[in-house]
Amino acid sequence: MRNKLTALCLCLCLAAGLVGCGGEAAEETTSGSELAAFVDNSALEEDSTVIAVGKTTVPYREFKAYYYFMKNRYEDVMTERVWDYSGISSGKSIGQEAMEEVVRLIIQVKVICKAAAVQGVALAADEKEEADYNARTCCAEISDSDKKENSISIPLLTQIFEENKLAEKMYNVVTGQADVQVSDKDCRAAKVQLICLKTSDGDKEQVRLRAQQLRDEIVSAEKSFYTFARANNQSGEIECLIGRMDDRKALADAVLGMKRYEISPVIEESDGFYIAYVTQVPGKALNKEYKNQVIQKRQTEAFQNAYKEWSGKYGVKVSKSLLAE
């Protein structure tokens, strides 16, 4: 059963990851040309409507099935006690955060499927057959007690597999139309470790001075650059590729002119001051990796923009009873 559960969870995570937006699950959006349908805010039963995306409604049993697979994803590597732990920043339990994540995921899948219907994108016969096969196989590997407790059935699993497959197909349709033409000249990139000290209104000169003092300390110290980066970096990843297509033009110009194991001077960008350490200079393999990164970013942004447009057309409601669980 583990492989089938993993396959489904990967599909669900893919649908969520593709979107990359969605807001707080507890928020209700009543705007949009298609107003949200009624949701049940009293005691929940299997047929109670817990989520509405426009006129599309989600019964409680469907939410329970999604949540079951989310739980299995985490409990495969952690114990059941994980759901009682508090989140690092939210103060909510992991279980509550997972519940809200499932709500967001369902909303996103429903929005994408509604957009697919409008654009005439549908699953082919072989894709539907695959969804049916995966649903039957997955269902057969779930214990009867789990199926009963989580309202899991072959028709429901088939619907879930089909809708997530359709969401993936819509992603491919949209990203297939994105501009992925990147010249070899624009693909030059270096692998670096970064320290960014962020600035805010009125503190630019103080941050500049602090960045220069930190650079001087790094140059004279025996500790690795990475050690300083872990302790001081305030934005983004420590290790990354920087190339011609990066929005931080001054940073890109600096690192592309540096040698391996060289530490940059303090570099000013719109979001702060950077210190870079080059671990790998441009080369064929690195440039290809950077090109793929740029293409993937463009595709993701294209889909995010499309999703933002789609989601604005539908009001969304979530049951208060569901959020209170």
Side-chain angles (χ1 to χ4, degrees):
M1 182 179 76
R2 187 179 301 272
N3 289 339
K4 277 297 171 191
L5 292 180
T6 301
L8 179 56
C9 287
L10 285 174
C11 185
L12 303 186
C13 291
L14 176 62
L18 297 179
V19 177
C21 54
E24 289 296 325
E27 291 182 358
E28 293 188 358
T29 305
T30 56
S31 61
S33 56
E34 186 176 312
L35 298 180
F38 169 84
V39 296
D40 291 300
N41 290 313
S42 55
L44 299 179
E45 299 179 358
E46 299 299 282
D47 293 330
S48 298
T49 297
V50 295
I51 302 171
V53 179
K55 296 178 182 179
T56 300
T57 58
V58 179
Y60 186 42
R61 74 169 75 88
E62 184 174 344
F63 169 83
K64 287 172 66 178
Y66 268 91
Y67 191 71
Y68 170 77
F69 290 108
M70 176 70 79
K71 285 184 66 176
N72 273 273
R73 175 187 170 204
Y74 284 102
E75 289 178 5
D76 274 352
V77 293
M78 303 179 75
T79 69
E80 291 184 1
R81 293 183 61 190
V82 65
W83 306 108
D84 298 325
Y85 298 154
S86 295
I88 295 175
S89 59
S90 68
K92 301 175 183 177
S93 70
I94 299 298
Q96 180 71 13
E97 290 184 349
M99 184 276 291
E100 293 186 1
E101 185 62 31
V102 170
V103 170
R104 280 189 287 268
L105 169 59
I106 293 173
I107 291 170
Q108 291 165 356
V109 170
K110 299 301 180 182
V111 167
I112 297 168
C113 288
K114 289 171 79 69
V118 171
Q119 297 187 24
V121 177
L123 296 181
D126 61 329
E127 293 170 324
K128 287 192 173 186
E129 289 175 4
E130 181 183 2
D132 180 69
Y133 172 79
N134 287 336
R136 290 179 182 276
T137 305
C138 186
C139 197
E141 295 173 342
I142 300 173
S143 69
D144 290 340
S145 60
D146 278 354
K147 279 186 275 193
K148 182 177 180 180
E149 181 181 351
N150 297 281
S151 307
I152 293 171
S153 65
I154 291 175
L156 180 56
L157 283 189
T158 300
Q159 174 195 323
I160 290 174
F161 272 105
E162 284 186 353
E163 289 182 346
N164 279 269
K165 182 65 176 177
L166 184 57
E168 182 183 354
K169 191 168 186 174
M170 274 297 286
Y171 173 80
N172 292 332
V173 168
V174 173
T175 58
Q177 300 169 351
D179 178 17
V180 295
Q181 298 302 314
V182 183
S183 69
D184 291 340
K185 179 182 178 181
D186 289 333
C187 284
R188 290 189 70 247
K191 181 170 286 189
V192 301
Q193 295 175 3
L194 291 178
I195 297 174
C196 174
L197 301 184
K198 301 189 73 172
T199 55
S200 57
D201 294 340
D203 70 347
K204 179 178 288 188
E205 292 309 313
Q206 294 95 316
V207 176
R208 187 197 305 273
L209 177 60
R210 190 162 73 248
Q212 186 59 57
Q213 291 172 337
L214 178 59
R215 184 191 182 276
D216 293 342
E217 183 181 353
I218 293 170
V219 171
S220 61
E222 296 183 356
K223 293 187 294 185
S224 68
F225 185 93
Y226 188 80
T227 300
F228 283 97
R230 286 188 61 184
N232 294 279
N233 185 49
Q234 298 176 349
S235 177
E237 297 178 317
I238 291 176
E239 296 184 289
C240 63
L241 298 181
I242 299 293
R244 290 291 179 200
M245 304 300 292
D246 199 289
D247 293 334
R248 297 163 295 187
K249 299 301 182 183
L251 178 62
D253 286 343
V255 300
L256 290 175
M258 291 167 57
K259 299 178 181 179
R260 192 177 188 186
Y261 305 137
E262 185 178 354
I263 298 173
S264 75
V266 173
I267 303 163
E268 181 178 351
E269 283 289 354
S270 60
D271 60 338
F273 292 93
Y274 285 81
I275 308 169
Y277 174 69
V278 175
T279 60
Q280 192 172 339
V281 296
K284 187 175 181 179
L286 198 63
N287 294 348
K288 182 178 180 180
E289 181 182 351
Y290 179 68
K291 181 176 182 179
N292 291 336
Q293 179 178 294
V294 170
I295 290 173
Q296 184 177 24
K297 180 181 178 182
R298 288 184 179 181
Q299 290 175 330
T300 300
E301 288 176 348
F303 192 79
Q304 289 174 339
N305 291 335
Y307 179 83
K308 184 177 181 180
E309 179 182 348
W310 301 335
S311 62
K313 297 178 181 179
Y314 308 107
V316 173
K317 287 184 180 179
V318 180
S319 165
K320 292 181 174 62
S321 299
L322 178 66
L323 294 173
E325 285 195 341

